[in-house]
Amino acid sequence: QVVESCVAAAGYSVGEFAALVFAGALGFAEALYAVKVRAEAMQKASEAVPSGMLTVIGRREANYKFACLEARKHCESLGIENPVCVISNYLFPDSRVIAGHLQALEFLQENARKYYFTHTKMLPVSGAFHTRLMEPAVEPLAEVLKSIEIQKPLVSVYSNVDGKKYMHSKHIQKLLVKQVVSPVMWEQTMHSVYERKQGTEFPYTYEVGPGKQLGAVLKKCNLKAWKQYNHVDALEDEEAAET
């Protein structure tokens, strides 16, 4: 019943492929193959430069872009050419993921108080995903997506790249590639998905899969929408079948 009445879908980073499969735009096997190629290409790109990702929670005064600029200048003083340090994920108001050269991220952690960061934590990932350091992964993914049949989604799917609905199959192909080197606009996507006239009820929201991180983000972005949120663990049915 929930699936039949579904009006929109969105997926965080690689989860966007799952959202597109759910919406009938991509076949499951083809999407899985594309994700495999994407993962291998991104891993290879990660190995080329010591880089990573840093989750940051800041006070109202925090200026993330200025902090990134100063971190890049620090890298240049160490002799790193064209250093990368940018916002790679917009999570919720006052929280961002910053990605780039490890030296830049270390600089931000050491100077957290200067930039009004209240909390910083390195993510357990091998590279600076959603930055230009992932450019070597663009071509392999673009090639795979050219060979896959992409349909117009049966329900609206929102893109990580700009927080807007996908319009047609060519649009999906183009933005899935762009997503590899573009920040994940999740906070903006949440605003797009839940924008409605005053007094209109919020829809039921289901987070499918392991963890409830997207639910936690929704709560910070839109408390009223979060009140209609449910989590569906991917393993529930399998465990029930075994018992």
XYZ file of all heavy atoms in Angstrom, residues 161 181 236:
23
model
N 22.654 16.330 -6.793
C 23.468 17.406 -7.376
C 22.851 18.784 -7.164
O 23.544 19.746 -6.839
C 23.736 17.144 -8.882
C 24.405 18.341 -9.552
C 24.608 15.899 -9.049
N 31.607 14.047 -8.487
C 32.517 15.166 -8.200
C 31.795 16.400 -7.643
O 32.397 17.461 -7.493
C 33.326 15.568 -9.463
C 34.337 14.495 -9.824
C 32.401 15.833 -10.648
N 14.712 -7.190 8.349
C 13.566 -7.633 9.160
C 12.880 -8.875 8.593
O 12.649 -9.846 9.294
C 12.540 -6.509 9.311
C 12.906 -5.559 10.444
C 11.954 -4.374 10.537
O 10.932 -4.382 9.853
O 12.254 -3.451 11.311
